[in-house]
Amino acid sequence: MPWDKSAAPEDPAVIQHRPSPQYATLDVYNPFETGEPAPAYASPAPGPLPPPSAPTLQSSRKLSPTEPKNYGSYSNQASAAAATAELLKKQEELNRKAEELDRRERELQHAALGGTATRQKNWPPLPSFCPVQPCFFQDISMEIPQEFQKTVSTMYYLWMCSTLALLLNFLACLASFCVETNNGSGFGLSILWILLFTPCSFVCWYRPMYKAFRSDSSFNFFVFFFIFFAQNVLYVLQAIGIPGWGFSGWISALVVLKVNTAVAVLMLLVALFFTGIAVLGIVMLKRIHSLYRRTGASFQKAQQEFAAGVFSNPAVRTAAANAAAGAAENAFRAP
């Protein structure tokens, strides 16, 4: 039977179950509620809509794929980078001043203890059970000003490298003596050089340089320049390696190359080490001389310091007093 659309609205069953404002729908129906029938469903009143905002030109405008994004002007970026660099520079300066104040504070503490206790010597660093005790007190971070600490540390490393080079030179000369017995004189001199130059270089040029930077002493600067210039000449002779002098330099290595290749390679390495030390020594001599000229030191100040040091020495004063007393006694005894 075909469906009659015109008869559907008059069907009693459809009319009975058609939604009506008098009956609540399932959204507000509570089956557990008793008593009065459920109120009729009322749809909530719609709230006021926000006023439409006019789209801005920047939001409505789309960037093309080839158009670069604007991350700020170049002048703003440059000013920010300059401000950051200035802050880093100030931070480094503050750190340097803090280190300088810390060093001065430690100096004052040591000076305060100077009246009741002396500084304990700490160099060379020997164990407590050793019968030989340290002979010097050395503390670069405490005694040397901040601007000269790097120079003094470099000179200390140069002295250590020269000592190591002399030790390697001794081993190379020993190997050369083992393959060729005619090099006995060079082997003996290598032993003498390591025993003589190691302590003498520390006492004769490193300690005057250390004391010169510690107390701005013109006299110690002059002593250092005189002795360290001779030391640089010795470095050059060590690098050259004249046969029979006890130095494993270039000439000695080339002579041994005809006898034994392995020993010659060892001597060439020692010669290269001597060459590097000689170059570094010349560079540091020039650098320290430029620092010396900026400190305001002079030969007249060196003479004054030498005279003050001589006359302040108790042994010299005692000898001068005895000589004066002897001369006066002889003058009175003379007829």
Side-chain angles (χ1 to χ4, degrees):
M1 180 178 179
W3 174 261
D4 190 1
K5 295 181 180 180
S6 60
E10 279 74 15
D11 192 352
V14 176
I15 296 173
Q16 181 180 359
H17 295 284
R18 181 178 296 174
S20 175
Q22 298 178 358
Y23 297 95
T25 60
L26 292 177
D27 296 336
V28 295
Y29 176 68
N30 187 0
F32 300 100
E33 186 177 354
T34 58
E36 299 180 356
Y41 170 76
S43 60
L49 296 176
S53 58
T56 60
L57 180 61
Q58 184 177 1
S59 61
S60 62
R61 179 176 176 269
K62 295 183 179 180
L63 296 175
S64 61
T66 59
E67 183 179 357
K69 295 182 180 180
N70 185 13
Y71 293 103
S73 61
Y74 177 78
S75 59
N76 294 337
Q77 296 179 4
S79 60
T84 304
E86 186 68 21
L87 290 176
L88 292 176
K89 184 178 180 181
K90 290 183 179 180
Q91 182 66 29
E92 293 178 357
E93 185 177 357
L94 290 176
N95 293 337
R96 183 179 59 82
K97 290 183 178 180
E99 293 177 359
E100 183 70 17
L101 290 176
D102 189 16
R103 185 185 65 85
R104 291 180 180 275
E105 183 179 358
R106 284 183 292 175
E107 287 182 353
L108 292 175
Q109 291 177 356
H110 280 276
L113 295 175
T116 57
T118 58
R119 294 180 180 180
Q120 186 177 2
K121 299 178 180 179
N122 57 359
W123 201 96
L126 300 173
S128 57
F129 59 84
C130 185
V132 180
Q133 297 300 318
C135 304
F136 306 98
F137 176 81
Q138 176 174 299
D139 192 344
I140 297 177
S141 61
M142 186 189 71
E143 291 190 320
I144 305 300
Q146 178 71 25
E147 59 269 20
F148 304 133
Q149 289 182 6
K150 184 178 180 180
T151 302
V152 176
S153 299
T154 304
M155 294 298 292
Y156 181 67
Y157 294 144
L158 176 63
W159 175 82
M160 294 179 65
C161 289
S162 64
T163 303
L164 180 60
L166 289 174
L167 178 60
L168 295 177
N169 176 69
F170 162 73
L171 297 177
C173 290
L174 176 60
S176 176
F177 176 68
C178 292
V179 298
E180 189 176 1
T181 56
N182 295 331
N183 296 331
S185 60
F187 172 64
L189 287 175
S190 67
I191 300 176
L192 176 64
W193 300 147
I194 192 173
L195 295 177
L196 180 64
F197 290 154
T198 299
C200 290
S201 59
F202 185 85
V203 174
C204 295
W205 62 262
Y206 174 74
R207 287 298 297 180
M209 183 271 308
Y210 184 90
K211 292 187 289 186
F213 281 111
R214 181 185 62 185
S215 57
D216 192 14
S217 173
S218 299
F219 175 74
N220 286 299
F221 269 120
F222 273 92
V223 172
F224 163 74
F225 288 137
F226 179 76
I227 299 178
F228 192 65
F229 177 80
Q231 179 71 69
N232 283 324
V233 174
L234 182 62
Y235 286 154
V236 174
L237 293 177
Q238 289 174 348
I240 294 173
I242 301 174
W245 284 31
F247 298 134
S248 299
W250 297 104
I251 298 178
S252 299
L254 294 177
V255 170
V256 179
L257 185 60
K258 302 177 182 179
V259 181
N260 191 293
T261 306
V263 176
V265 170
L266 177 60
M267 297 180 70
L268 285 175
L269 293 176
V270 176
L272 184 62
F273 202 1
F274 278 142
T275 304
I277 293 175
V279 173
L280 182 59
I282 295 173
V283 171
M284 293 305 299
L285 179 63
K286 184 178 179 180
R287 179 181 299 180
I288 293 176
H289 185 263
S290 63
L291 292 175
Y292 158 77
R293 296 183 63 181
R294 288 189 300 174
T295 56
S298 62
F299 184 71
Q300 289 75 13
K301 290 179 64 176
Q303 290 178 331
Q304 295 174 2
E305 291 176 5
F306 177 75
V310 168
F311 286 110
S312 62
N313 193 340
V316 174
R317 287 186 297 179
T318 302
N322 293 335
E329 185 177 358
N330 292 334
F332 282 114
R333 287 181 180 179

